[in-house]
Amino acid sequence: MDKATDESTMRARALYEARATGVPIAPFTDTHPALAAEDGYAVQRELVALLLTDGDRIVGYKAGLTSIPMQEMFDTCTPDYGPVLASTVHASGARLPVSAFIAPKVEAEIVFRLGRPLRGPGVTVEEARAAVREVMAGLEIVDSRIQDWRIRLADTIADLASNGAVVLAEPQPAGPDPDHRLTGMVFTRNGEPVATGAGAAALGDPVAVVAWLANTLGAQGVTLEAGHLIMTGALHAAVPMRSGDTFVAEFDRLGTVTLHVDDSDDAGQPPHPEGR
């Protein structure tokens, strides 16, 4: 094992322990500020291997940093990505304990399910659109195993693109020639509007996120499979999540997705079929 691989393995184990214990760790870039995106992905691969060994499975992929303001914040001109794990997927109406996370925040986004495989490079937006079978209203809980969200690009990539969990509404058929750029959304916390957004916030067109993921992963020999979930990125700034909160995102044409936050004994229900 060379030095770079050994360092990636050690960092992955540190994140693995942070996920298990709920105790965050210092940013890797504090001591190694030159760490780049490729270093983060090397750690991510090692961490995913550990989680899959525990019995989890990949049911899709998420893209982050799909808006220009977020890319500017991280001094990058491209999104990042991470796997969606079965253990993190829940159905609308779920009651999730805030204690299951470290520093959670909630974002609303458009989520697709593929009806056919996509393998880049060379996948176009129109080919990606044709591959989408279903579309869903979604809430992503972003969480950081890095202390106080003091993350740079390599840190968040290593930490599965800061993914914590996802809550999904009932799927809707993709339909002929949909324009998801125009899908509007109103996001409320405890009945009070806190954000609005539209599909165009995600890379100009959320379907373009699907094509980007297919091409980026395809260059590494990874195929987006039929049935995979594709999380296309936040439509607004993330909102902190606290016990007792109820979050609702209402989407044009896609319906409503709801998350209740508490630490009661029955928190965590209902599960989504992906998580079974």
Side-chain angles (χ1 to χ4, degrees):
M1 182 180 296
D2 61 31
K3 181 179 179 182
T5 302
D6 189 49
E7 289 177 345
S8 295
T9 299
M10 289 189 295
R11 291 173 182 139
R13 290 192 177 278
L15 285 170
Y16 178 85
E17 290 299 322
R19 293 173 70 90
T21 64
V23 178
I25 60 175
F28 301 129
T29 53
D30 271 5
T31 52
H32 295 84
L35 287 176
E38 55 266 30
D39 301 304
Y41 285 119
V43 177
Q44 184 187 112
R45 287 190 293 270
E46 295 286 341
L47 175 57
V48 170
L50 291 171
L51 296 171
L52 297 185
T53 298
D54 282 347
D56 219 328
R57 58 193 175 90
I58 294 173
V59 295
Y61 288 88
K62 67 154 287 185
L65 310 183
T66 54
S67 69
I68 291 175
M70 289 302 294
Q71 290 178 13
E72 290 176 344
M73 183 182 299
F74 283 86
D75 192 26
T76 183
C77 59
T78 185
D80 66 352
Y81 68 85
V84 177
L85 299 172
S87 64
T88 69
V89 183
H90 305 271
S92 181
R95 294 184 175 273
L96 300 184
V98 71
S99 59
F101 307 95
I102 294 174
K105 303 178 183 182
V106 185
E107 305 171 340
E109 59 187 86
I110 295 170
V111 181
F112 296 120
R113 187 191 306 280
L114 297 183
R116 67 180 74 165
L118 280 176
R119 174 75 171 263
V123 173
T124 67
V125 172
E126 288 311 308
E127 288 169 338
R129 194 183 315 277
V132 171
R133 184 179 79 215
E134 295 173 336
V135 57
M136 290 159 272
L139 295 174
E140 182 181 10
I141 300 172
V142 291
D143 195 21
S144 184
R145 276 57 63 168
I146 306 297
Q147 289 173 347
D148 303 321
W149 280 97
R150 292 189 298 110
I151 51 174
R152 298 184 187 177
L153 184 60
D155 299 306
T156 184
I157 288 173
D159 192 20
L160 305 190
S162 300
N163 180 247
V166 59
V167 179
L168 299 176
E170 287 293 317
Q172 304 296 321
D177 302 319
D179 190 347
H180 297 293
R181 299 174 304 167
L182 305 180
T183 298
M185 181 279 306
V186 176
F187 185 56
T188 64
R189 178 175 61 192
N190 304 326
E192 295 294 325
V194 290
T196 59
L203 216 60
D205 182 345
V207 180
V209 178
V210 180
W212 179 85
L213 275 169
N215 291 325
T216 301
L217 290 168
Q220 302 170 34
V222 177
T223 299
L224 296 180
E225 302 289 354
H228 267 170
L229 299 171
I230 305 297
M231 298 171 62
T232 60
L235 304 183
H236 60 92
V239 177
M241 173 177 139
R242 305 164 304 199
S243 185
D245 282 340
T246 292
F247 293 96
V248 178
E250 299 173 85
F251 285 78
D252 290 339
R253 296 172 286 178
L254 304 183
T256 298
V257 58
T258 301
L259 164 65
H260 305 285
V261 186
D262 64 38
D263 281 274
S264 61
D265 291 341
D266 64 348
Q269 299 298 324
H272 190 275
E274 295 289 347
R276 292 174 179 161

